[in-house]
Coordinates of all heavy atoms in Angstrom, one line a residue:
M18 N 121.6 86.5 108.4 CA 120.5 87.3 108.8 C 120.9 88.6 109.6 O 120.4 88.7 110.8 CB 119.6 86.4 109.7 CG 119.0 85.3 109.0 SD 117.6 85.7 107.9 CE 116.3 85.9 109.0
K19 N 121.8 89.2 109.0 CA 122.1 90.6 109.8 C 122.7 91.4 108.7 O 123.1 91.1 107.6 CB 123.2 90.4 110.8 CG 124.5 89.9 110.3 CD 125.4 89.8 111.4 CE 126.9 89.5 110.9 NZ 128.0 89.5 112.0
F20 N 122.6 92.8 109.0 CA 123.2 93.8 108.2 C 124.8 93.9 108.5 O 125.2 93.9 109.8 CB 122.6 95.1 108.4 CG 121.2 95.3 108.0 CD1 120.1 95.3 108.8 CD2 120.9 95.3 106.7 CE1 118.9 95.4 108.5 CE2 119.5 95.4 106.1 CZ 118.5 95.3 107.1
S21 N 125.7 94.0 107.4 CA 127.0 94.1 107.7 C 127.5 95.1 106.7 O 127.5 95.0 105.6 CB 127.8 92.7 107.3 OG 129.1 93.0 107.5
P22 N 128.1 96.2 107.3 CA 128.4 96.4 108.7 C 127.0 96.9 109.4 O 126.3 97.5 108.7 CB 129.5 97.5 108.8 CG 129.3 98.3 107.5 CD 128.9 97.3 106.5
T23 N 127.0 96.6 110.6 CA 125.8 97.0 111.3 C 125.7 98.5 111.5 O 124.6 99.1 111.4 CB 125.9 96.4 112.7 OG1 125.9 95.0 112.6 CG2 124.5 96.6 113.6
D24 N 126.8 99.1 111.8 CA 126.9 100.5 111.9 C 127.8 101.2 111.0 O 128.9 100.7 110.7 CB 127.4 100.9 113.4 CG 126.5 100.4 114.4 OD1 125.2 100.6 114.4 OD2 127.0 99.5 115.2
L25 N 127.3 102.2 110.2 CA 128.2 102.7 109.2 C 128.2 104.3 109.3 O 127.1 104.9 109.7 CB 127.5 102.5 107.8 CG 128.1 103.0 106.6 CD1 129.5 102.3 106.4 CD2 127.2 102.7 105.4
T26 N 129.2 105.1 109.1 CA 129.3 106.5 109.2 C 129.6 107.0 107.8 O 130.7 106.6 107.1 CB 130.4 106.9 110.3 OG1 130.0 106.4 111.5 CG2 130.4 108.5 110.3
V27 N 128.8 107.9 107.4 CA 129.0 108.6 106.0 C 128.9 110.1 106.2 O 128.7 110.7 107.4 CB 128.0 108.1 105.1 CG1 128.1 106.6 105.0 CG2 126.6 108.5 105.6
K28 N 129.2 110.8 105.1 CA 129.1 112.2 105.1 C 127.7 112.7 104.3 O 127.2 111.9 103.7 CB 130.3 113.0 104.3 CG 131.5 112.6 105.0 CD 132.7 113.2 104.2 CE 134.0 112.9 104.9 NZ 135.2 113.1 104.0
V29 N 127.2 113.9 104.8 CA 126.1 114.5 104.1 C 126.2 114.4 102.6 O 127.3 114.7 102.1 CB 125.9 115.9 104.6 CG1 124.8 116.6 103.9 CG2 125.5 116.0 106.2
G30 N 125.2 113.9 102.0 CA 125.3 113.8 100.6 C 125.6 112.5 100.0 O 125.5 112.2 98.9
D31 N 126.2 111.6 101.0 CA 126.6 110.3 100.5 C 125.4 109.4 100.2 O 124.4 109.6 100.9 CB 127.5 109.7 101.4 CG 129.0 110.1 101.5 OD1 129.3 110.9 100.6 OD2 129.6 109.6 102.4
T32 N 125.6 108.6 99.3 CA 124.6 107.5 98.9 C 125.0 106.2 99.5 O 126.2 105.7 99.3 CB 124.2 107.4 97.4 OG1 123.9 108.6 97.0 CG2 123.3 106.3 97.1
V33 N 124.1 105.5 100.2 CA 124.4 104.2 100.8 C 123.7 103.1 100.0 O 122.6 103.4 99.8 CB 124.0 104.0 102.3 CG1 124.2 102.6 102.8 CG2 124.9 105.1 103.1
T34 N 124.4 102.1 99.5 CA 123.8 101.0 98.8 C 123.8 99.7 99.7 O 124.9 99.4 100.1 CB 124.5 100.8 97.5 OG1 124.4 102.1 96.7 CG2 123.8 99.7 96.7
W35 N 122.6 99.2 99.9 CA 122.5 97.9 100.5 C 122.5 96.8 99.4 O 121.6 96.8 98.5 CB 121.3 97.8 101.3 CG 121.3 98.6 102.6 CD1 121.5 98.1 104.0 CD2 120.9 100.1 102.9 NE1 121.5 99.1 104.8 CE2 121.1 100.3 104.3 CE3 120.6 101.1 102.0 CZ2 120.9 101.6 104.9 CZ3 120.5 102.3 102.5 CH2 120.6 102.7 103.8
L36 N 123.4 95.8 99.7 CA 123.3 94.7 98.8 C 122.4 93.6 99.4 O 122.8 93.2 100.6 CB 124.7 94.1 98.4 CG 125.6 95.3 97.9 CD1 127.0 94.7 97.7 CD2 125.1 95.9 96.5
F37 N 121.5 92.9 98.6 CA 120.8 91.8 99.1 C 121.4 90.6 98.4 O 121.1 90.4 97.2 CB 119.4 92.0 98.7 CG 118.7 93.2 99.4 CD1 119.0 94.5 99.0 CD2 118.0 93.2 100.6 CE1 118.5 95.6 99.6 CE2 117.4 94.2 101.1 CZ 117.7 95.6 100.7
R38 N 122.0 89.7 99.3 CA 122.6 88.5 98.7 C 122.3 87.4 99.7 O 123.2 86.7 100.1 CB 124.0 88.6 98.6 CG 124.5 89.7 97.5 CD 125.8 89.8 97.5 NE 126.3 90.8 96.4 CZ 127.5 91.4 96.3 NH1 128.5 91.1 97.2 NH2 127.7 92.2 95.4
D39 N 120.9 87.2 100.0 CA 120.6 86.1 100.9 C 119.7 85.1 100.2 O 119.2 85.3 99.1 CB 120.1 86.7 102.2 CG 120.1 85.8 103.4 OD1 120.8 84.7 103.3 OD2 119.9 86.4 104.5
R40 N 119.5 84.1 100.9 CA 118.5 83.2 100.4 C 117.0 83.3 100.7 O 116.1 82.7 100.3 CB 118.9 81.6 101.0 CG 120.1 81.0 100.5 CD 120.5 79.7 101.1 NE 120.9 80.0 102.5 CZ 121.2 79.0 103.3 NH1 121.2 77.7 103.1 NH2 121.7 79.4 104.5
V41 N 116.9 84.4 101.6 CA 115.6 84.9 101.9 C 115.6 86.3 101.7 O 116.6 87.1 101.7 CB 115.2 84.5 103.3 CG1 115.2 83.1 103.6 CG2 116.1 85.2 104.3
P42 N 114.4 87.0 101.4 CA 114.2 88.4 101.1 C 114.2 89.2 102.3 O 114.0 88.7 103.4 CB 112.8 88.5 100.5 CG 112.0 87.3 101.0 CD 113.1 86.3 101.2
H43 N 114.7 90.5 102.2 CA 114.9 91.3 103.3 C 114.3 92.7 102.7 O 114.1 93.0 101.6 CB 116.2 91.5 103.7 CG 116.8 90.3 104.2 ND1 116.4 89.6 105.5 CD2 117.9 89.4 103.7 CE1 117.2 88.5 105.6 NE2 118.0 88.4 104.5
T44 N 114.3 93.7 103.7 CA 113.9 95.0 103.5 C 114.9 95.9 104.2 O 115.5 95.5 105.3 CB 112.5 95.4 103.7 OG1 112.4 95.6 105.3 CG2 111.6 94.6 103.2
V45 N 115.0 97.2 103.8 CA 115.6 98.2 104.7 C 114.5 99.3 105.1 O 113.9 100.0 104.1 CB 116.7 98.9 104.1 CG1 117.3 100.0 104.8 CG2 117.9 97.9 103.7
Q46 N 114.1 99.4 106.4 CA 113.1 100.3 106.8 C 113.5 101.0 107.9 O 113.9 100.6 109.0 CB 111.8 99.6 107.1 CG 110.6 100.3 107.5 CD 109.4 99.6 107.8 OE1 108.9 98.7 107.1 NE2 108.8 99.7 108.9
G47 N 113.4 102.5 107.7 CA 113.8 103.3 108.8 C 113.1 103.3 110.0 O 111.7 102.9 109.9
I48 N 113.5 103.5 111.1 CA 112.9 103.6 112.5 C 112.7 105.0 112.9 O 113.6 105.7 113.0 CB 113.5 102.8 113.5 CG1 113.8 101.3 113.0 CG2 112.9 102.9 114.8 CD1 114.7 100.6 113.9
G49 N 111.4 105.5 113.1 CA 111.1 106.8 113.5 C 110.9 108.0 112.3 O 111.3 107.6 111.2
D50 N 110.4 109.1 112.8 CA 110.0 110.0 111.7 C 111.3 110.5 110.8 O 111.1 110.6 109.7 CB 109.5 111.4 112.5 CG 108.2 111.0 113.1 OD1 107.5 110.0 112.7 OD2 107.8 111.8 114.0
K51 N 112.4 110.7 111.4 CA 113.6 111.2 110.6 C 114.0 110.2 109.6 O 114.6 110.7 108.7 CB 114.8 111.4 111.7 CG 115.8 112.2 111.0 CD 116.8 112.7 112.1 CE 117.7 111.5 112.7 NZ 118.7 111.8 113.6
A52 N 113.7 109.0 109.9 CA 114.1 107.8 108.9 C 113.1 107.5 108.0 O 113.1 106.3 107.3 CB 114.8 106.8 109.7
M53 N 112.0 108.2 107.9 CA 110.8 107.8 107.1 C 111.1 107.4 105.7 O 110.5 106.6 105.0 CB 109.7 108.9 107.2 CG 108.7 108.6 108.2 SD 107.4 109.8 108.1 CE 106.9 109.9 106.5
G54 N 111.9 108.2 105.1 CA 112.4 108.0 103.7 C 113.1 106.8 103.4 O 113.2 106.4 102.3
I55 N 113.6 106.1 104.4 CA 114.3 104.8 104.3 C 113.4 103.7 104.2 O 112.8 103.3 105.2 CB 115.4 104.6 105.5 CG1 116.3 105.8 105.5 CG2 116.1 103.4 105.2 CD1 117.2 105.7 106.7
N56 N 113.0 103.3 103.0 CA 111.8 102.2 102.9 C 111.9 101.5 101.6 O 111.5 101.9 100.6 CB 110.5 103.1 102.9 CG 109.3 102.3 103.1 OD1 109.5 101.1 103.3 ND2 108.2 102.8 103.0
S57 N 112.8 100.5 101.6 CA 113.0 99.7 100.4 C 111.9 98.7 100.1 O 111.0 98.4 101.0 CB 114.3 98.8 100.5 OG 114.0 97.7 101.3
P58 N 111.7 98.2 99.0 CA 110.8 97.2 98.7 C 111.4 96.0 99.3 O 112.5 95.9 99.8 CB 110.7 97.1 97.1 CG 112.0 97.8 96.6 CD 112.4 98.8 97.7
I59 N 110.7 94.8 99.2 CA 111.2 93.6 99.6 C 112.1 93.0 98.5 O 111.7 92.9 97.4 CB 110.0 92.6 99.9 CG1 109.2 93.1 101.0 CG2 110.6 91.1 100.1 CD1 107.9 92.3 101.2
I60 N 113.3 92.8 98.8 CA 114.3 92.3 97.9 C 115.0 91.0 98.4 O 115.4 90.9 99.5 CB 115.3 93.4 97.7 CG1 114.7 94.7 97.2 CG2 116.4 93.0 96.6 CD1 115.6 96.0 97.1
Q61 N 115.2 90.1 97.4 CA 115.9 88.9 97.7 C 117.3 89.0 97.2 O 118.3 88.8 97.8 CB 115.3 87.7 97.2 CG 116.1 86.4 97.6 CD 115.2 85.1 97.5 OE1 114.0 85.2 97.2 NE2 115.8 84.0 97.8
K62 N 117.4 89.4 95.7 CA 118.8 89.5 95.2 C 118.7 90.9 94.5 O 117.8 91.1 93.6 CB 119.0 88.4 94.3 CG 119.0 87.1 94.7 CD 120.2 86.6 95.5 CE 120.2 85.1 95.9 NZ 121.3 84.8 96.8
G63 N 119.6 91.7 94.8 CA 119.7 93.0 94.2 C 120.2 94.0 95.2 O 121.0 93.6 96.1
E64 N 119.8 95.3 94.9 CA 120.4 96.4 95.7 C 119.5 97.5 95.9 O 118.6 97.6 94.9 CB 121.8 96.7 95.2 CG 121.7 97.5 93.8 CD 123.2 97.8 93.4 OE1 124.0 97.0 93.4 OE2 123.3 99.0 92.9
W65 N 119.6 98.2 96.8 CA 118.7 99.4 97.0 C 119.5 100.5 97.7 O 120.4 100.3 98.6 CB 117.7 99.0 97.9 CG 116.6 100.2 98.1 CD1 115.7 100.6 97.3 CD2 116.5 101.1 99.3 NE1 115.0 101.7 97.8 CE2 115.5 101.9 99.0 CE3 117.3 101.2 100.5 CZ2 115.1 102.9 100.0 CZ3 116.9 102.3 101.5 CH2 115.8 103.0 101.1
S66 N 119.4 101.7 97.2 CA 120.3 102.9 97.5 C 119.4 104.0 98.3 O 118.2 104.2 97.8 CB 121.1 103.6 96.4 OG 121.9 102.5 96.0
Y67 N 120.1 104.8 99.0 CA 119.3 106.0 99.6 C 120.5 107.1 100.0 O 121.6 106.8 100.4 CB 118.7 105.6 101.1 CG 117.9 106.7 101.7 CD1 116.7 107.0 101.3 CD2 118.7 107.5 102.8 CE1 116.1 108.0 101.9 CE2 118.0 108.5 103.3 CZ 116.7 108.7 102.9 OH 116.0 109.8 103.5
T68 N 120.1 108.2 99.6 CA 121.1 109.4 99.9 C 120.7 110.1 101.0 O 119.5 110.6 101.2 CB 121.1 110.2 98.5 OG1 121.4 109.5 97.4 CG2 122.0 111.4 98.7
F69 N 121.6 110.4 101.8 CA 121.4 111.0 103.1 C 121.8 112.5 103.0 O 122.9 112.9 102.8 CB 122.2 110.3 104.2 CG 121.7 109.0 104.6 CD1 122.3 107.8 103.9 CD2 120.9 108.8 105.7 CE1 121.8 106.7 104.2 CE2 120.4 107.5 106.0 CZ 120.9 106.3 105.3
T70 N 120.8 113.3 103.2 CA 121.0 114.7 102.9 C 121.0 115.6 104.2 O 121.2 116.7 104.1 CB 119.9 115.3 102.0 OG1 118.6 115.1 102.5 CG2 119.9 114.7 100.6
L71 N 120.7 114.9 105.4 CA 120.8 115.7 106.5 C 121.6 114.9 107.7 O 121.6 113.7 107.6 CB 119.3 115.9 107.1 CG 118.4 116.8 106.4 CD1 117.0 116.7 106.9 CD2 119.0 118.2 106.4
P72 N 122.4 115.6 108.4 CA 123.1 114.9 109.4 C 122.3 114.4 110.5 O 121.2 114.8 110.7 CB 124.1 116.0 110.0 CG 123.5 117.3 109.7 CD 122.6 117.1 108.4
G73 N 122.8 113.3 111.1 CA 122.1 112.7 112.2 C 122.4 111.1 112.2 O 123.1 110.6 111.4
T74 N 121.7 110.5 113.3 CA 121.8 109.0 113.4 C 120.6 108.5 113.0 O 119.4 108.7 113.4 CB 122.3 108.7 114.7 OG1 123.5 109.2 115.1 CG2 122.3 107.1 114.9
Y75 N 120.6 107.5 111.9 CA 119.5 107.0 111.4 C 119.4 105.5 111.7 O 120.4 104.7 111.4 CB 119.4 107.1 109.8 CG 119.3 108.5 109.4 CD1 120.4 109.3 109.3 CD2 118.1 109.1 109.0 CE1 120.4 110.7 108.9 CE2 118.1 110.5 108.7 CZ 119.3 111.2 108.6 OH 119.2 112.6 108.2
R76 N 118.3 105.0 112.4 CA 118.3 103.6 112.7 C 117.4 102.9 111.7 O 116.4 103.5 111.2 CB 117.8 103.5 114.2 CG 118.6 104.1 115.1 CD 118.2 103.6 116.6 NE 116.8 104.0 116.8 CZ 115.8 103.3 117.4 NH1 116.2 102.1 117.7 NH2 114.6 103.6 117.6
Y77 N 117.6 101.6 111.4 CA 116.8 101.0 110.4 C 116.7 99.6 110.9 O 117.5 99.0 111.6 CB 117.3 101.1 109.1 CG 118.6 100.6 108.6 CD1 118.7 99.2 108.4 CD2 119.7 101.2 108.9 CE1 119.9 98.7 108.1 CE2 121.1 100.7 108.5 CZ 121.0 99.4 108.3 OH 122.3 98.8 107.9
L78 N 115.7 98.7 110.3 CA 115.6 97.4 110.5 C 115.1 96.8 109.2 O 114.7 97.4 108.2 CB 114.7 96.9 111.6 CG 113.3 97.7 111.7 CD1 112.4 97.1 110.8 CD2 112.7 97.5 113.1
C79 N 115.1 95.4 109.2 CA 114.4 94.7 108.1 C 113.0 94.3 108.7 O 112.8 93.8 109.7 CB 115.1 93.4 108.0 SG 114.3 92.2 106.9
S80 N 112.0 94.8 107.8 CA 110.5 94.6 108.4 C 110.1 93.2 108.4 O 109.3 92.8 109.0 CB 109.6 95.5 107.4 OG 109.7 94.9 106.2
L81 N 110.8 92.4 107.7 CA 110.5 90.9 107.7 C 111.2 90.2 108.9 O 110.8 89.1 109.4 CB 110.8 90.3 106.5 CG 110.2 90.8 105.2 CD1 110.8 90.2 104.0 CD2 108.8 90.7 105.2
H82 N 112.4 90.7 109.3 CA 113.0 90.1 110.5 C 113.5 91.2 111.4 O 114.8 91.8 111.2 CB 114.3 89.4 109.9 CG 114.0 88.5 108.7 ND1 114.4 88.7 107.5 CD2 113.5 87.3 108.7 CE1 113.9 87.8 106.6 NE2 113.3 86.9 107.3
P83 N 112.7 91.8 112.3 CA 113.0 92.9 113.0 C 114.0 92.9 113.9 O 114.6 93.9 114.4 CB 111.7 93.2 113.9 CG 110.6 92.4 113.0 CD 111.2 91.3 112.5
E84 N 114.6 91.7 114.1 CA 115.9 91.6 114.8 C 117.2 92.0 114.1 O 118.2 92.2 114.6 CB 116.1 90.2 115.4 CG 116.6 89.1 114.3 CD 115.3 88.6 113.5 OE1 114.2 89.2 113.7 OE2 115.5 87.5 112.8
M85 N 117.0 92.2 112.8 CA 118.0 92.7 111.9 C 118.0 94.2 111.9 O 117.0 94.8 111.4 CB 117.7 92.3 110.4 CG 117.9 90.7 110.2 SD 117.7 90.3 108.5 CE 118.9 91.3 107.6
R86 N 119.0 94.8 112.5 CA 119.0 96.2 112.7 C 120.3 96.7 112.4 O 121.4 96.1 112.4 CB 118.6 96.6 114.1 CG 117.1 96.4 114.5 CD 116.8 96.4 115.9 NE 115.4 96.2 116.3 CZ 114.5 97.2 116.5 NH1 115.0 98.3 116.8 NH2 113.3 96.8 116.7
G87 N 120.3 98.0 112.1 CA 121.6 98.9 111.8 C 121.4 100.3 112.0 O 120.2 100.9 112.1
T88 N 122.5 101.0 111.9 CA 122.3 102.6 112.0 C 123.3 103.1 110.9 O 124.4 102.4 110.6 CB 122.8 103.0 113.4 OG1 124.2 102.7 113.6 CG2 121.9 102.5 114.5
V89 N 122.9 104.1 110.4 CA 123.8 105.0 109.7 C 124.0 106.3 110.3 O 123.0 107.0 110.5 CB 123.3 105.2 108.2 CG1 124.1 106.1 107.4 CG2 123.1 103.8 107.6
T90 N 125.2 106.7 110.6 CA 125.4 108.0 111.1 C 125.9 108.9 110.0 O 126.8 108.7 109.4 CB 126.5 108.0 112.2 OG1 126.0 107.1 113.4 CG2 126.9 109.3 112.9
V91 N 125.3 110.1 109.9 CA 125.6 111.1 108.8 C 126.2 112.2 109.5 O 125.6 112.9 110.4 CB 124.3 111.5 108.0 CG1 124.7 112.4 106.8 CG2 123.6 110.1 107.5
Q92 N 127.4 112.5 109.0 CA 128.2 113.6 109.6 C 128.2 114.9 108.6 O 128.2 114.7 107.4 CB 129.7 113.2 110.0 CG 129.6 112.2 111.1 CD 131.0 111.7 111.5 OE1 131.9 111.8 110.7 NE2 131.1 111.2 112.7
Ligands
LIG105 CU1 115.3 90.3 106.7

C-alpha cells in the first residue's frame, strides 16, 4: 500500500510509468493545480504513464488510499 519509489527525479520530457501490481486497485492523482493532468483511472493490474513537460515538483496520491503519496521532481 505505497508507491515505490516514493520520490522520483526525472528530466523535462521524460515519461513516468506507474505499474499497478497489487491485490487492490489504486489511482495516481495529482495534488494541486500544477499536477492537474496527473489523473489515472482506477487500475488494479496494469500500468499508466504521464509525460512531464515542465520542471517542478509534482505531488500525487492514490485517491482510494490518500495515505499513499509520492512526488516526482522534474528538472
Ligand atoms: Cu491505493
Side-chain angles (χ1 to χ4, degrees):
M18 294 288 281
K19 67 173 188 176
F20 293 107
S21 177
T23 303
D24 303 307
L25 181 69
T26 299
V27 300
K28 293 177 181 169
V29 170
D31 280 353
T32 297
V33 175
T34 299
W35 284 263
L36 302 178
F37 298 77
R38 294 175 176 170
D39 205 351
R40 285 174 291 178
V41 296
H43 301 288
T44 73
V45 177
Q46 181 174 310
I48 300 170
D50 289 347
K51 191 170 66 173
M53 262 180 55
I55 302 172
N56 193 5
S57 81
I59 297 171
I60 300 174
Q61 182 163 358
K62 301 284 185 189
E64 61 183 53
W65 184 78
S66 296
Y67 182 81
T68 301
F69 290 87
T70 57
L71 293 172
T74 299
Y75 298 80
R76 298 189 303 134
Y77 65 89
L78 51 69
C79 169
S80 60
L81 302 177
H82 313 103
E84 72 278 11
M85 293 178 59
R86 289 171 179 250
T88 65
V89 177
T90 300
V91 182
Q92 296 180 335

